[in-house]
Amino acid sequence: MYFVKRFLAMFLTVWIIATLTFIVMKFIPGDPFATDADVFPEEVLENLRAAYNLDKPVPVQYFLYMKDLVTFDLGTSIVSNTRSVNQIIGDGLPASAILGFLSMAIAIFFGVILGVIAALNHNKAIDHISMVIAIIGISIPNFILAPLLIKYFAVDWRILPVASWGTWQHTILPALALSTTPLAVVARYMRSSMLDVMNQNYMKTAEAKGLSTYRLVVQHGIRNAILPIITFIGPLFVSLITGTFVIEKIFAIPGMGRYFVDSIFNRDYPVIMGTTVFYSLILVVTLFLIDMSYRFIDPRIKLTSKGG
């Protein structure tokens, strides 16, 4: 029953986001063809508005928009009227997804290690150093870190390529720039969670029984302490993919960011609404899968609708 309720809630959430996105687009003054008023005669502009259903009443526009959304037809771009929004997402998603997955892997892997090391050396020098690194990582925005990485690793030292896309070497610098902040957040989460787990009675009992440090930390400590990090993975993944917009611009990566940013400046309603709904769908599906995975990660967790 819990599975069914969460599944239905997922679609309800996407519908609400799609509706709010449509409403916001309608509150923006003007229309996408306002800049073409001096180029095309009014008859041509009216035909263009009719082609995108902009000449119809708002309720009718909403009905047609939701009907197309149900059939996964996100419409046709106003700027690139020969390409559908589905094609634009299909072209830009692979680069953004690769960058997002790699950044998430770096953030989780090194963040967990840094947090565990800090927790095992609580109030020691290495703990303070780890947290200083984490604070620096949170404090420096990726759009400031990215040019620094380009300057040293690409321009001065010529270790890695930049401003291109195609090989695994091209993913390193943007992934590092994108993963720094979430890595620091994961490290702080993991340190706090690990300290809490290490102070539990069952951990002290296992240590008193002579369990090796490796088994104590890896098999018991990390497994229980990592649960808050798993909760964080869903929003982290979506934030990394959407966060690639600025990084993609800096590193000239042909991802979703370029299309989304251009669509905002060009008032390309279908692309704005399509990408927004697509990203919201990724988020709710990811959160749904994470909720379902709790039972497999920790058998003690029971998924019921009672109490959430």
Side-chain angles (χ1 to χ4, degrees):
M1 191 63 182
Y2 176 81
F3 174 85
V4 175
K5 287 186 176 181
R6 287 290 288 111
F7 194 74
L8 294 176
M10 180 177 67
F11 284 99
L12 177 62
T13 303
V14 174
W15 172 74
I16 293 174
I17 293 174
T19 301
L20 291 176
T21 304
F22 178 85
I23 294 172
V24 169
M25 290 298 100
K26 293 305 164 186
F27 271 106
I28 297 177
D31 63 63
F33 305 107
T35 57
D36 298 324
D38 298 331
V39 179
F40 300 109
E42 184 60 31
E43 293 79 6
V44 174
L45 296 178
E46 289 179 359
N47 290 334
L48 288 173
R49 294 188 184 99
Y52 289 93
N53 299 318
L54 297 177
D55 61 330
K56 296 179 173 59
V58 173
V60 176
Q61 293 183 40
Y62 176 75
F63 173 77
L64 295 173
Y65 166 64
M66 295 305 297
K67 180 174 72 68
D68 291 338
L69 198 61
V70 170
T71 59
F72 298 99
D73 181 5
L74 300 178
T76 303
S77 170
I78 293 176
V79 176
S80 301
N81 54 17
T82 59
R83 302 177 67 201
S84 67
V85 178
N86 297 52
Q87 291 175 324
I88 292 175
I89 292 176
D91 291 342
L93 183 61
S96 296
I98 290 172
L99 187 56
F101 273 116
L102 182 58
S103 302
M104 184 174 69
I106 293 173
I108 293 176
F109 181 77
F110 289 102
V112 168
I113 291 177
L114 192 64
V116 170
I117 291 175
L120 295 179
N121 296 274
H122 184 48
N123 285 333
K124 295 181 181 179
I126 192 170
D127 179 26
H128 299 308
I129 294 173
S130 300
M131 288 303 98
V132 168
I133 294 174
I135 293 173
I136 293 175
I138 295 174
S139 303
I140 301 179
N142 54 32
F143 59 83
I144 292 179
L145 181 62
L148 294 176
L149 293 175
I150 293 174
K151 172 176 170 36
Y152 291 108
F153 287 93
V155 178
D156 294 347
W157 302 335
R158 299 183 181 276
I159 298 175
L160 294 168
V162 70
S164 184
W165 188 258
T167 65
W168 65 269
Q169 290 96 332
H170 291 98
T171 65
I172 296 177
L173 290 183
L176 288 176
L178 194 61
S179 64
T180 303
T181 298
L183 188 156
V185 174
V186 169
R188 291 178 65 86
Y189 267 90
M190 193 64 191
R191 175 183 179 272
S192 177
S193 182
M194 193 69 182
L195 286 174
D196 181 64
V197 168
M198 294 297 290
N199 287 324
Q200 297 297 318
N201 290 331
Y202 69 88
M203 291 293 288
K204 295 178 180 179
T205 301
E207 185 178 10
K209 290 181 177 180
L211 202 67
S212 66
T213 303
Y214 173 82
R215 292 188 60 188
L216 186 68
V217 173
V218 176
Q219 295 185 8
H220 298 281
I222 294 180
R223 181 177 179 180
N224 293 288
I226 206 170
L227 284 174
I229 308 302
I230 294 173
T231 306
F232 182 60
I233 286 178
L236 170 64
F237 177 60
V238 177
S239 68
L240 284 176
I241 293 184
T242 55
T244 61
F245 291 173
V246 176
I247 296 300
E248 287 175 11
K249 199 72 173 178
I250 295 175
F251 288 92
I253 297 173
M256 290 283 293
R258 177 181 60 183
Y259 299 113
F260 188 75
V261 173
D262 291 344
S263 69
I264 294 175
F265 283 109
N266 296 322
R267 304 168 66 89
D268 196 340
Y269 292 168
V271 176
I272 295 174
M273 293 190 291
T275 51
T276 301
V277 172
F278 179 75
Y279 278 125
S280 66
L281 182 62
I282 293 177
L283 175 60
V284 296
V285 169
T286 303
L287 293 176
F288 173 77
L289 294 176
I290 289 174
D291 281 351
M292 295 302 104
S293 68
Y294 282 152
R295 183 66 179 84
F296 300 99
I297 296 168
D298 191 345
R300 295 172 300 175
I301 297 177
K302 304 295 183 182
L303 296 179
T304 62
S305 58
K306 184 181 292 185

